[in-house]
Amino acid sequence: MPAFQANLLNQKIYAPYKIAALVDAVAAQGIAPEVVMDGLGLDREALADPATLVCIKQYIDACTNVIEAGANLSTPFETAARLHLTAYGMYGYALLTSPTIRDYFNFGVKYHPLATPTLHMTWRESEESAIFAFKEAYSYITNINTRNFLIQQQMGQNVIHIRDAVGPSLTPTKALLAYSDAGTRDIHEKYLGCECHFDQETSEIHYPKEILDQSPLLGNQLSIKLLQETCNQLLGQTKMSSGITGEVYQVLMMSPNSFPSMEAVADLLCITTRTLRRKLDAEMTSYREILDDARCTLATEYLLATKMSTDDIAARLGFSDSANFRRAFKRWTGKSPHQFRKSG
């Protein structure tokens, strides 16, 4: 996962739209908002206040609350059905205006930290399919029912969002679930619209590969560039708000032409190198991962916003030669610098 994502758990930087959707989903079941928000430090007034910000942990705890209150097994999918792309602000509108579904997939994964992420999400291509995979992101979640709830909701959202972009007729070819059936097969297949396979090694949802070159209904090359710039700014703010990881990221971004060593960063933060390493370990990241993240962010900005050559970008980011930079960039993004600049 991105170096900063593991520490987003307690950062109050998200609008409470997911908690609001959960409250609405269980209201018809007789579960009161106060039950959903028990222990969250929120009430109905705060939930309706546009200035309210919440963290991922609060949403996870709300999910646990409704499970313990006896919510229907279809609740994660019913919650997902209330979370259309328009609920996600700039991130959602950017997805809707992606030029192709391949762009949509790339954008969705890169900027997922803007969407109150409860799971780590990736995608890949096989010979026949475009595949989204979902993995746990937070060791905080020890309740197996909560873990499964979040996977079900995320997969439901995935289907809803892609249908928002290309129309209601699109259906996955299959879904793989890394947990047992437990009598919910019919519910899964009703909401996901495909055959579901349980007790698998990973949780994935497969789409026909030919959709990758399809254009979303609102695809617009100019709009996506403008929205991507805004999302880049929001993503940077998210990274910089995330604990010691964010502090290190800020230091590196303030010195893009000559990144300080880990020892120098520790000195700037007035702690020892050993303490910095221990704190980063606690946030499930490392100096090297944060440096890669900063370099990747700057490299993409240079490629899209300037006419700098690959050699110049490599030198500015501290690579010994352009070949090493090209290899690193391919590892970060799956594309060569030339391919990335051309696609942008």
Side-chain angles (χ1 to χ4, degrees):
M1 72 179 69
F4 63 96
Q5 185 172 330
N7 197 48
L8 290 179
L9 187 67
N10 295 296
Q11 302 296 322
K12 292 186 177 181
I13 55 177
Y14 300 102
Y17 57 92
K18 285 191 174 180
I19 297 175
L22 184 61
V23 167
D24 289 344
V26 299
Q29 303 176 34
I31 299 176
E34 290 76 15
V35 174
V36 181
M37 294 184 283
D38 183 40
L40 272 58
L42 296 171
D43 56 25
R44 298 190 197 198
E45 185 177 343
L47 201 59
D49 186 345
T52 297
L53 294 176
V54 299
C55 63
I56 295 168
K57 180 179 179 296
Q58 285 173 295
Y59 180 65
I60 293 171
D61 288 346
C63 293
T64 302
N65 286 343
V66 302
I67 293 168
E68 293 179 349
N72 295 341
L73 295 176
S74 60
T75 299
F77 297 107
E78 293 172 2
T79 304
R82 288 168 166 77
L83 290 167
H84 289 275
L85 282 176
T86 50
Y88 291 77
M90 290 296 180
Y91 172 76
Y93 286 110
L95 289 172
L96 286 170
T97 58
S98 298
T100 69
I101 293 301
R102 178 178 274 103
D103 295 318
Y104 171 109
F105 283 11
N106 287 331
F107 193 100
V109 168
K110 178 178 179 180
Y111 296 98
H112 191 226
L114 300 178
T116 324
T118 57
L119 297 169
H120 179 48
M121 181 174 72
T122 59
W123 86 276
R124 68 184 190 278
E125 294 181 51
S126 70
E127 290 186 6
E128 298 180 348
S129 303
I131 305 165
F132 271 98
F134 308 96
K135 295 181 180 179
E136 295 173 15
Y138 307 108
S139 57
Y140 167 77
I141 308 171
T142 57
N143 185 316
I144 188 65
N145 292 324
T146 303
R147 291 181 182 179
N148 293 347
F149 185 106
L150 294 172
I151 291 173
Q152 291 159 19
Q153 183 190 323
Q154 184 64 60
M155 296 184 83
Q157 287 172 198
N158 189 269
V159 173
I160 290 288
H161 293 170
I162 292 178
R163 288 176 176 170
D164 284 345
V166 300
S169 62
L170 178 65
T171 57
T173 55
K174 65 179 177 180
L176 309 182
L177 295 312
Y179 49 83
S180 299
D181 182 350
T184 59
R185 181 182 301 274
D186 289 345
I187 294 173
H188 280 72
E189 294 187 347
K190 172 185 175 181
Y191 285 95
L192 298 180
C194 64
E195 186 175 293
C196 295
H197 303 269
F198 294 85
D199 297 308
Q200 303 297 306
E201 292 185 1
T202 60
S203 292
E204 299 179 349
I205 192 158
H206 293 228
Y207 295 94
K209 186 175 181 177
E210 53 266 25
I211 72 167
L212 291 175
D213 296 321
Q214 186 174 339
S215 295
L217 299 173
L218 300 177
N220 186 291
Q221 189 72 44
L222 178 59
S223 294
I224 186 61
K225 286 187 176 181
L226 295 173
L227 291 166
Q228 184 171 13
E229 183 177 342
T230 301
C231 286
N232 278 331
Q233 295 171 359
L234 293 172
L235 191 61
Q237 293 168 12
T238 300
K239 293 176 181 179
M240 291 184 183
S241 69
S242 304
I244 192 69
T245 302
E247 293 183 46
V248 174
Y249 185 83
Q250 288 183 63
V251 170
L252 295 177
M253 292 298 283
M254 287 188 294
S255 308
N257 296 327
S258 180
F259 292 113
S261 66
M262 184 174 182
E263 291 74 16
V265 171
D267 287 342
L268 287 168
L269 298 178
C270 300
I271 57 177
T272 65
T273 303
R274 182 177 179 181
T275 298
L276 175 58
R277 182 177 291 108
R278 176 173 52 79
K279 288 188 173 185
L280 292 176
D281 284 344
E283 295 183 5
M284 299 172 63
T285 188
S286 67
Y287 172 80
R288 171 57 58 185
E289 288 179 342
I290 303 170
L291 177 59
D292 278 352
D293 199 351
R295 280 174 155 174
C296 180
T297 297
L298 290 169
T300 57
E301 290 182 2
Y302 293 149
L303 287 167
L304 294 177
T306 77
K307 295 183 178 180
M308 291 171 61
S309 69
T310 300
D311 288 346
D312 289 340
I313 295 173
R316 181 162 294 195
L317 296 180
F319 287 91
S320 57
D321 56 55
S322 59
N324 284 333
F325 166 63
R326 287 194 296 270
R327 282 193 291 270
F329 193 82
K330 183 68 178 289
R331 174 168 52 84
W332 297 332
T333 68
K335 296 181 179 180
S336 70
H338 176 74
Q339 290 170 328
F340 185 86
R341 174 171 269 166
K342 187 176 180 180
S343 66

